[in-house]
Amino acid sequence: VQLQASGGGLVQAGGSLNLSCTVFTPTSRKGTLGWFRQAPGLEREFVAAISGILRTTRYGDSVKGRFAISRDLAKNTVYLHMNSLKSEDTAIYYCAASNKGIVTDAKDYSLWGQGTQVTVSS
């Protein structure tokens, strides 16, 4: 396993959940780590990304102001702090790694984790 995501689960609407993803394969610290999600019947959606040294961040429009991405370079781990969760946030969340600078397109990510299920009950 090259990327291991964890932290998913069941939470009530309005609640919070934290995801983490550890990268076990050597990756460029200048590269980007990101989170995507996919709900049943829908396409994979960009959630958030964080670059390496400068830790520049980008967020999808649907999560801006509610989610926060952070990164621990020493642990090669990326976190997704999710607040004010809504039922429409229910999806499988995937972490991914890119050797490029801050990118938001899934095709720019070469390594993917197995996904972790997040379910928000209304």
Coordinates of all heavy atoms in Angstrom, one line a residue, residues 19-86:
L19 N -9.9 13.2 8.6 CA -9.3 12.1 7.8 C -7.8 12.3 7.8 O -7.3 13.4 7.9 CB -9.8 12.1 6.4 CG -11.3 12.0 6.1 CD1 -11.6 12.0 4.6 CD2 -11.9 10.8 6.8
S20 N -7.0 11.2 7.7 CA -5.6 11.3 7.5 C -5.1 10.3 6.4 O -5.8 9.3 6.2 CB -4.9 11.0 8.8 OG -5.1 9.7 9.3
C21 N -4.0 10.6 5.8 CA -3.5 9.8 4.8 C -2.0 9.8 4.9 O -1.4 10.9 4.7 CB -4.0 10.2 3.4 SG -3.3 9.3 2.0
T22 N -1.4 8.7 5.1 CA 0.1 8.6 5.1 C 0.6 8.0 3.8 O 0.1 7.0 3.3 CB 0.5 7.7 6.3 OG1 0.0 8.3 7.5 CG2 2.0 7.6 6.4
V23 N 1.6 8.7 3.3 CA 2.3 8.2 2.1 C 3.5 7.4 2.4 O 4.4 7.9 3.0 CB 2.7 9.4 1.2 CG1 3.3 9.0 -0.1 CG2 1.5 10.4 1.0
F24 N 3.4 6.1 2.0 CA 4.5 5.2 2.4 C 5.6 5.0 1.3 O 6.6 4.4 1.5 CB 3.9 3.8 2.7 CG 3.1 3.8 4.0 CD1 1.7 3.8 4.0 CD2 3.8 3.8 5.2 CE1 1.0 3.8 5.1 CE2 3.0 3.7 6.4 CZ 1.7 3.8 6.4
T25 N 5.3 5.7 0.2 CA 6.3 5.6 -0.9 C 7.1 6.9 -1.0 O 6.5 8.0 -0.7 CB 5.7 5.3 -2.2 OG1 6.6 5.0 -3.2 CG2 4.8 6.4 -2.7
P26 N 8.3 6.9 -1.3 CA 9.0 8.2 -1.4 C 8.4 9.1 -2.4 O 8.2 8.7 -3.5 CB 10.5 7.8 -1.8 CG 10.6 6.4 -1.4 CD 9.2 5.8 -1.6
T27 N 8.1 10.3 -2.0 CA 7.5 11.3 -2.9 C 8.2 12.6 -2.7 O 8.8 12.9 -1.7 CB 6.0 11.5 -2.6 OG1 5.8 11.9 -1.3 CG2 5.2 10.3 -2.9
S28 N 8.2 13.4 -3.7 CA 8.8 14.7 -3.7 C 8.1 15.6 -2.6 O 6.9 15.7 -2.7 CB 8.8 15.4 -5.0 OG 9.2 16.8 -4.9
R29 N 8.8 16.2 -1.7 CA 8.2 17.1 -0.7 C 7.7 18.3 -1.4 O 7.0 19.1 -0.8 CB 9.2 17.4 0.4 CG 9.5 16.1 1.2 CD 10.3 16.4 2.5 NE 10.4 15.2 3.3 CZ 10.8 15.2 4.5 NH1 11.1 16.3 5.1 NH2 10.9 14.1 5.2
K30 N 8.2 18.6 -2.6 CA 7.6 19.7 -3.4 C 6.3 19.4 -4.1 O 5.7 20.3 -4.6 CB 8.7 20.2 -4.4 CG 10.0 20.7 -3.8 CD 10.9 21.1 -4.9 CE 12.3 21.6 -4.3 NZ 13.2 22.0 -5.3
G31 N 6.0 18.2 -4.0 CA 4.7 17.8 -4.7 C 3.5 18.1 -3.9 O 3.5 18.6 -2.8
T32 N 2.4 17.7 -4.5 CA 1.1 18.1 -3.9 C 0.4 16.8 -3.4 O 0.5 15.7 -4.0 CB 0.2 18.7 -5.0 OG1 0.8 20.0 -5.3 CG2 -1.2 18.9 -4.5
L33 N -0.3 16.9 -2.3 CA -1.1 15.9 -1.7 C -2.6 16.4 -1.8 O -2.8 17.6 -1.5 CB -0.8 15.5 -0.3 CG 0.6 14.8 -0.1 CD1 0.9 14.5 1.3 CD2 0.7 13.6 -1.0
G34 N -3.5 15.5 -2.2 CA -4.8 16.0 -2.4 C -5.9 15.0 -1.9 O -5.6 13.9 -1.6
W35 N -7.1 15.5 -1.8 CA -8.2 14.7 -1.4 C -9.3 14.8 -2.5 O -9.6 16.0 -3.0 CB -8.8 15.1 -0.1 CG -8.0 14.8 1.1 CD1 -7.1 15.6 1.7 CD2 -8.0 13.5 1.8 NE1 -6.5 14.9 2.8 CE2 -7.1 13.6 2.9 CE3 -8.7 12.3 1.7 CZ2 -6.8 12.6 3.8 CZ3 -8.4 11.3 2.6 CH2 -7.5 11.4 3.6
F36 N -9.9 13.7 -2.9 CA -11.0 13.7 -3.8 C -12.1 12.9 -3.2 O -11.8 12.1 -2.2 CB -10.6 13.1 -5.2 CG -9.6 13.9 -6.0 CD1 -8.2 14.0 -5.6 CD2 -10.0 14.7 -7.0 CE1 -7.3 14.7 -6.3 CE2 -9.1 15.4 -7.8 CZ -7.8 15.5 -7.4
R37 N -13.3 12.9 -3.7 CA -14.3 12.1 -3.2 C -15.2 11.7 -4.4 O -15.3 12.3 -5.4 CB -15.2 12.9 -2.2 CG -15.9 14.0 -2.7 CD -16.6 14.8 -1.5 NE -17.4 15.9 -2.0 CZ -18.0 16.8 -1.2 NH1 -17.8 16.7 0.1 NH2 -18.7 17.8 -1.7
Q38 N -15.9 10.6 -4.1 CA -16.8 10.1 -5.2 C -18.0 9.5 -4.5 O -17.9 8.6 -3.7 CB -16.2 9.0 -6.0 CG -17.0 8.6 -7.2 CD -16.2 7.9 -8.3 OE1 -15.1 7.3 -8.0 NE2 -16.7 7.8 -9.5
A39 N -19.2 10.0 -4.8 CA -20.5 9.5 -4.3 C -21.0 8.6 -5.3 O -20.7 8.7 -6.5 CB -21.4 10.7 -4.0
P40 N -21.9 7.6 -4.9 CA -22.5 6.7 -5.9 C -23.2 7.4 -7.1 O -24.0 8.3 -6.9 CB -23.5 5.9 -5.0 CG -23.0 6.0 -3.6 CD -22.4 7.4 -3.6
G41 N -22.8 7.0 -8.3 CA -23.5 7.5 -9.4 C -22.9 8.8 -9.9 O -23.4 9.4 -10.9
L42 N -21.9 9.4 -9.2 CA -21.4 10.7 -9.5 C -19.9 10.5 -9.9 O -19.3 9.5 -9.6 CB -21.5 11.7 -8.4 CG -22.9 12.0 -7.9 CD1 -22.9 13.0 -6.8 CD2 -23.8 12.5 -9.1
E43 N -19.4 11.5 -10.6 CA -18.0 11.5 -10.9 C -17.1 11.9 -9.7 O -17.6 12.5 -8.8 CB -17.7 12.5 -12.1 CG -18.4 12.1 -13.4 CD -18.0 13.1 -14.5 OE1 -17.4 14.1 -14.3 OE2 -18.4 12.8 -15.7
R44 N -15.8 11.5 -9.8 CA -14.9 11.9 -8.8 C -14.8 13.4 -8.7 O -14.6 14.0 -9.8 CB -13.5 11.2 -9.0 CG -12.6 11.3 -7.9 CD -11.4 10.4 -8.0 NE -11.9 9.0 -7.9 CZ -11.0 8.0 -7.8 NH1 -9.7 8.2 -7.7 NH2 -11.5 6.7 -7.7
E45 N -14.8 13.9 -7.5 CA -14.8 15.4 -7.3 C -13.6 15.8 -6.5 O -13.2 15.2 -5.5 CB -16.1 15.8 -6.6 CG -16.2 17.2 -6.2 CD -17.4 17.5 -5.2 OE1 -18.0 16.6 -4.7 OE2 -17.7 18.7 -5.1
F46 N -13.0 16.9 -6.9 CA -11.9 17.5 -6.2 C -12.4 18.1 -4.9 O -13.4 18.8 -4.9 CB -11.2 18.5 -7.0 CG -10.2 19.4 -6.2 CD1 -9.0 18.8 -5.8 CD2 -10.5 20.7 -5.9 CE1 -8.1 19.6 -5.1 CE2 -9.6 21.4 -5.2 CZ -8.4 20.9 -4.8
V47 N -11.7 17.8 -3.8 CA -12.0 18.3 -2.5 C -11.0 19.4 -2.0 O -11.4 20.5 -1.7 CB -12.2 17.2 -1.4 CG1 -12.4 17.8 -0.1 CG2 -13.2 16.2 -1.8
A48 N -9.8 19.0 -1.9 CA -8.7 19.9 -1.4 C -7.4 19.4 -1.8 O -7.2 18.2 -2.0 CB -8.9 20.0 0.1
A49 N -6.4 20.3 -1.8 CA -5.0 20.0 -2.1 C -4.1 20.9 -1.4 O -4.5 22.0 -1.1 CB -4.8 20.0 -3.7
I50 N -2.9 20.4 -1.1 CA -1.9 21.2 -0.5 C -0.5 20.9 -1.1 O -0.2 19.7 -1.3 CB -1.9 20.9 1.1 CG1 -0.9 21.9 1.8 CG2 -1.6 19.5 1.4 CD1 -1.1 21.9 3.3
S51 N 0.2 21.9 -1.4 CA 1.5 21.7 -2.0 C 2.5 21.4 -1.0 O 2.2 21.4 0.2 CB 1.9 23.0 -2.8 OG 2.1 24.1 -1.9
G52 N 3.8 21.2 -1.4 CA 4.8 20.8 -0.5 C 5.4 21.9 0.4 O 4.8 22.3 1.4
I53 N 6.5 22.5 0.0 CA 7.2 23.4 0.9 C 6.4 24.6 1.3 O 6.3 24.9 2.5 CB 8.5 23.9 0.2 CG1 9.4 22.7 -0.2 CG2 9.3 24.8 1.2 CD1 9.7 21.7 1.0
L54 N 5.7 25.3 0.4 CA 5.0 26.5 0.7 C 3.6 26.2 1.3 O 2.9 27.1 1.9 CB 4.8 27.4 -0.5 CG 6.1 28.0 -1.1 CD1 5.7 28.8 -2.3 CD2 6.8 28.8 -0.1
R55 N 3.1 24.9 1.2 CA 1.8 24.5 1.7 C 0.7 25.4 1.2 O -0.2 25.7 1.9 CB 1.9 24.4 3.2 CG 2.9 23.5 3.7 CD 3.0 23.3 5.2 NE 4.2 22.6 5.6 CZ 4.5 22.2 6.8 NH1 3.7 22.5 7.8 NH2 5.6 21.5 7.1
T56 N 0.8 25.7 -0.1 CA -0.3 26.4 -0.7 C -1.5 25.5 -0.8 O -1.4 24.3 -1.0 CB 0.0 26.8 -2.2 OG1 1.2 27.6 -2.1 CG2 -1.1 27.5 -2.9
T57 N -2.7 26.0 -0.5 CA -3.9 25.1 -0.5 C -4.9 25.6 -1.6 O -5.0 26.7 -2.0 CB -4.6 25.2 0.9 OG1 -4.9 26.5 1.2 CG2 -3.7 24.6 1.9
R58 N -5.7 24.6 -2.0 CA -6.9 24.8 -2.9 C -8.0 24.0 -2.4 O -7.8 22.9 -1.9 CB -6.5 24.4 -4.3 CG -5.5 25.2 -5.0 CD -6.0 26.6 -5.4 NE -5.0 27.3 -6.2 CZ -4.0 28.1 -5.7 NH1 -3.9 28.2 -4.4 NH2 -3.1 28.7 -6.5
Y59 N -9.2 24.5 -2.6 CA -10.4 23.8 -2.1 C -11.5 23.8 -3.2 O -11.6 24.7 -4.0 CB -11.0 24.5 -0.9 CG -10.1 24.4 0.3 CD1 -9.2 25.4 0.6 CD2 -10.2 23.3 1.1 CE1 -8.4 25.3 1.7 CE2 -9.3 23.2 2.2 CZ -8.5 24.2 2.5 OH -7.6 24.1 3.6
G60 N -12.3 22.7 -3.2 CA -13.4 22.7 -4.1 C -14.5 23.7 -3.6 O -14.6 23.9 -2.4
D61 N -15.3 24.2 -4.5 CA -16.3 25.2 -4.1 C -17.2 24.7 -3.1 O -17.7 25.4 -2.2 CB -17.0 25.7 -5.3 CG -16.2 26.5 -6.3 OD1 -15.1 27.0 -5.8 OD2 -16.6 26.6 -7.5
S62 N -17.6 23.4 -3.1 CA -18.6 22.9 -2.2 C -18.1 22.7 -0.8 O -18.9 22.5 0.1 CB -19.1 21.5 -2.8 OG -18.0 20.6 -2.8
V63 N -16.8 22.8 -0.6 CA -16.3 22.6 0.8 C -15.6 23.8 1.3 O -15.1 23.8 2.5 CB -15.3 21.4 0.8 CG1 -16.0 20.1 0.3 CG2 -14.0 21.7 0.1
K64 N -15.4 24.9 0.6 CA -14.7 26.1 1.0 C -15.4 26.6 2.3 O -16.6 26.7 2.4 CB -14.8 27.1 0.0 CG -13.8 26.9 -1.1 CD -13.8 28.0 -2.2 CE -12.8 27.8 -3.3 NZ -13.0 28.8 -4.4
G65 N -14.6 26.9 3.3 CA -15.1 27.5 4.5 C -15.5 26.4 5.5 O -15.7 26.7 6.7
R66 N -15.5 25.1 5.1 CA -15.9 24.1 6.0 C -14.8 23.0 6.2 O -14.7 22.5 7.3 CB -17.2 23.3 5.5 CG -18.4 24.2 5.3 CD -19.6 23.4 4.9 NE -19.5 22.7 3.7 CZ -19.6 21.4 3.5 NH1 -19.8 20.6 4.6 NH2 -19.5 20.8 2.3
F67 N -14.0 22.8 5.2 CA -13.0 21.8 5.3 C -11.6 22.5 5.3 O -11.5 23.6 4.8 CB -13.0 20.9 4.1 CG -14.1 19.9 4.0 CD1 -15.2 20.1 4.8 CD2 -14.1 18.9 3.1 CE1 -16.3 19.2 4.8 CE2 -15.2 18.0 3.0 CZ -16.3 18.1 3.8
A68 N -10.7 21.9 5.9 CA -9.3 22.4 6.0 C -8.3 21.3 5.8 O -8.4 20.2 6.4 CB -9.0 23.1 7.3
I69 N -7.3 21.5 4.9 CA -6.3 20.5 4.6 C -5.0 21.0 5.2 O -4.7 22.2 5.3 CB -6.2 20.3 3.1 CG1 -5.3 19.1 2.8 CG2 -5.7 21.6 2.4 CD1 -5.3 18.7 1.3
S70 N -4.3 20.0 5.8 CA -3.0 20.3 6.4 C -2.0 19.2 6.1 O -2.5 18.1 5.6 CB -3.1 20.6 7.9 OG -3.6 19.4 8.5
R71 N -0.8 19.4 6.3 CA 0.2 18.5 5.9 C 1.4 18.5 6.9 O 1.8 19.5 7.3 CB 0.7 18.8 4.5 CG 1.8 17.9 3.9 CD 2.0 18.3 2.5 NE 3.0 17.5 1.8 CZ 3.2 17.4 0.5 NH1 2.6 18.3 -0.3 NH2 4.1 16.6 0.1
D72 N 1.8 17.3 7.2 CA 3.0 17.1 8.1 C 4.1 16.5 7.2 O 4.1 15.3 6.9 CB 2.7 16.2 9.3 CG 3.8 16.1 10.3 OD1 5.0 16.1 9.9 OD2 3.5 15.9 11.5
L73 N 5.1 17.3 6.8 CA 6.1 16.8 5.9 C 7.0 15.8 6.6 O 7.4 14.8 5.9 CB 7.0 18.0 5.5 CG 6.4 19.0 4.5 CD1 7.3 20.2 4.3 CD2 6.0 18.4 3.2
A74 N 7.2 15.9 7.9 CA 8.1 14.9 8.6 C 7.4 13.5 8.6 O 8.1 12.5 8.4 CB 8.3 15.4 10.0
K75 N 6.1 13.5 8.7 CA 5.4 12.2 8.8 C 4.9 11.8 7.4 O 4.3 10.7 7.3 CB 4.2 12.3 9.7 CG 4.6 12.5 11.2 CD 3.4 12.6 12.1 CE 3.8 12.8 13.5 NZ 2.6 12.9 14.4
N76 N 5.1 12.7 6.4 CA 4.6 12.5 5.1 C 3.1 12.1 5.1 O 2.6 11.1 4.5 CB 5.3 11.3 4.3 CG 5.5 11.6 2.9 OD1 5.1 12.7 2.4 ND2 6.0 10.6 2.1
T77 N 2.3 12.9 5.8 CA 0.9 12.7 6.1 C 0.1 13.9 5.8 O 0.6 15.0 6.1 CB 0.7 12.2 7.5 OG1 1.4 11.0 7.8 CG2 -0.8 12.0 7.8
V78 N -1.0 13.7 5.2 CA -1.9 14.8 4.9 C -3.2 14.6 5.6 O -3.6 13.4 5.8 CB -2.2 14.9 3.4 CG1 -2.9 13.7 2.8 CG2 -3.0 16.2 3.0
Y79 N -3.8 15.7 6.1 CA -5.0 15.6 6.9 C -6.1 16.4 6.2 O -5.9 17.4 5.6 CB -4.8 16.2 8.3 CG -3.6 15.5 9.0 CD1 -2.3 16.1 9.0 CD2 -3.8 14.4 9.8 CE1 -1.3 15.5 9.6 CE2 -2.7 13.8 10.4 CZ -1.5 14.3 10.4 OH -0.4 13.7 11.0
L80 N -7.4 16.0 6.5 CA -8.5 16.7 6.0 C -9.4 16.9 7.2 O -10.0 15.9 7.7 CB -9.2 16.0 4.9 CG -10.4 16.8 4.2 CD1 -9.8 18.0 3.5 CD2 -11.2 15.9 3.3
H81 N -9.6 18.1 7.7 CA -10.5 18.4 8.8 C -11.8 18.9 8.2 O -11.9 19.9 7.6 CB -9.8 19.5 9.7 CG -8.4 19.2 10.0 ND1 -8.0 18.3 11.0 CD2 -7.2 19.7 9.4 CE1 -6.7 18.3 11.0 NE2 -6.2 19.1 10.1
M82 N -12.8 18.1 8.5 CA -14.1 18.4 7.9 C -15.1 18.9 9.0 O -15.3 18.1 10.0 CB -14.7 17.1 7.2 CG -13.7 16.6 6.2 SD -14.4 15.2 5.3 CE -14.5 14.0 6.5
N83 N -15.6 20.0 8.8 CA -16.6 20.6 9.8 C -17.9 20.9 9.1 O -18.0 21.0 7.9 CB -16.0 21.9 10.4 CG -14.7 21.7 11.1 OD1 -14.6 20.8 12.0 ND2 -13.7 22.4 10.7
S84 N -18.9 21.1 9.9 CA -20.3 21.5 9.4 C -20.7 20.5 8.3 O -21.1 20.9 7.2 CB -20.3 22.9 8.9 OG -19.9 23.8 9.9
L85 N -20.5 19.2 8.5 CA -20.8 18.2 7.5 C -22.2 18.2 7.1 O -23.1 18.4 7.9 CB -20.3 16.9 8.0 CG -18.8 16.7 7.9 CD1 -18.4 15.5 8.8 CD2 -18.3 16.4 6.5
K86 N -22.5 17.9 5.8 CA -23.8 17.9 5.2 C -24.0 16.5 4.6 O -23.0 15.8 4.3 CB -24.0 18.9 4.1 CG -23.6 20.3 4.6 CD -23.7 21.3 3.4 CE -23.3 22.7 3.8 NZ -23.3 23.6 2.6

